[in-house]
Amino acid sequence: MTTSRLVAATLLGIYRPVVLWFWTTMTVCAVVGMTAIALSGEPTFSLWLLMAGSAAKYWLGVVGATLVSLNLRQFVANGITRREFLAGAAIFGLSATVVFAVAVVAGHGVEQLLLGLDGPLPAGYPTMTPGTALREFGQILPSALAFLVAGAAVTAGFYRFGAWGGLALLPAAVLPLAAAETLFGLDASLGFAVRFVPYAAAVLITLAVTALGVLLYQRVLRDVTIRPAG
């Protein structure tokens, strides 16, 4: 196993308990909430997409921040180079983003299945088909990746340059997040929707801006001085 893959595997072990807690909490809240909504009337939206689709992005943004503020020092102190850590963190981050995107889409499918057990789905509910499933995955993946990279880039700027330098880099660091939030959103039934440009263009623009965020993150951290604990 290469060092970068070892870093990724170690990060997975660190974050696995929190990830399990996160998705367990999302599942319980969605089941309880959707049951209450179904008992009071016909649900015309997907509570799972509303909750999990948003929470997944924000949680990954926090993970991106902690990769810099907490994990970087730990790994470098144990003999891992900055380059190896950045490569391993990239493998871990991309893997986590794919898993989160799959979980959001799969959860929507399970929610739809449960709602349809007693008869036809309520009018207005954002029905999932193979095509919409791929589209949901193709929307949540670049959005979640943008949040992850933005969280890492913002924290990297503050970590290396302090408060004023971090503030100066802030507009560039949050560009991936801004692109994702501008181009992707929810429609009237709280299903996923695209704004201003066609779907393919929204995905490409978000991924391109996210790539610039990755470049900024890498340039800032590649030779950064590691701060002592405390």
Side-chain angles (χ1 to χ4, degrees):
M1 180 182 291
T2 63
T3 304
S4 59
R5 290 184 179 179
L6 179 60
V7 170
T10 304
L11 288 171
L12 176 61
I14 292 173
Y15 286 96
R16 184 187 293 114
V18 186
V19 170
L20 293 175
W21 173 87
F22 172 83
W23 284 112
T24 299
T25 302
M26 286 294 101
T27 301
V28 171
C29 291
V31 169
V32 173
M34 210 60 179
T35 300
I37 293 170
L39 290 175
S40 62
E42 291 190 344
T44 59
F45 66 95
S46 169
L47 183 62
W48 176 261
L49 287 182
L50 178 62
M51 291 176 49
S54 298
K57 297 185 298 182
Y58 296 124
W59 194 88
L60 286 169
V62 173
V63 169
T66 58
L67 286 173
V68 178
S69 60
L70 297 179
N71 302 127
L72 175 64
R73 179 175 59 241
Q74 297 171 344
F75 280 85
V76 174
N78 284 281
I80 302 297
T81 66
R82 292 160 183 76
R83 182 174 181 178
E84 291 167 341
F85 173 79
L86 291 173
I91 295 172
F92 164 74
L94 182 58
S95 300
T97 304
V98 171
V99 170
F100 272 51
V102 170
V104 172
V105 177
H108 184 196
V110 172
E111 179 188 67
Q112 176 175 303
L113 178 64
L114 295 176
L115 286 174
L117 291 178
D118 293 332
L121 291 170
Y125 179 82
T127 305
M128 173 186 283
T129 65
T132 58
L134 288 175
R135 191 179 181 90
E136 287 177 3
F137 178 82
Q139 177 165 333
I140 191 63
L141 181 65
S143 296
L145 189 61
F147 272 73
L148 175 74
V149 170
V154 168
T155 309
F158 283 101
Y159 186 87
R160 176 161 187 168
F161 300 113
W164 292 110
L167 284 173
L169 282 178
L170 189 60
V174 299
L175 277 179
L177 185 156
E181 288 295 273
T182 299
L183 298 177
F184 296 115
L186 299 174
D187 59 20
S189 61
L190 301 183
F192 289 147
V194 180
R195 307 187 188 104
F196 305 118
V197 297
Y199 172 77
V203 172
L204 291 175
I205 292 171
T206 302
L207 289 177
V209 177
T210 300
L212 294 177
V214 172
L215 181 61
L216 173 64
Y217 165 72
Q218 189 269 340
R219 291 294 180 90
V220 170
L221 289 185
R222 63 181 178 179
D223 59 353
V224 67
T225 300
I226 304 301
R227 297 179 182 178

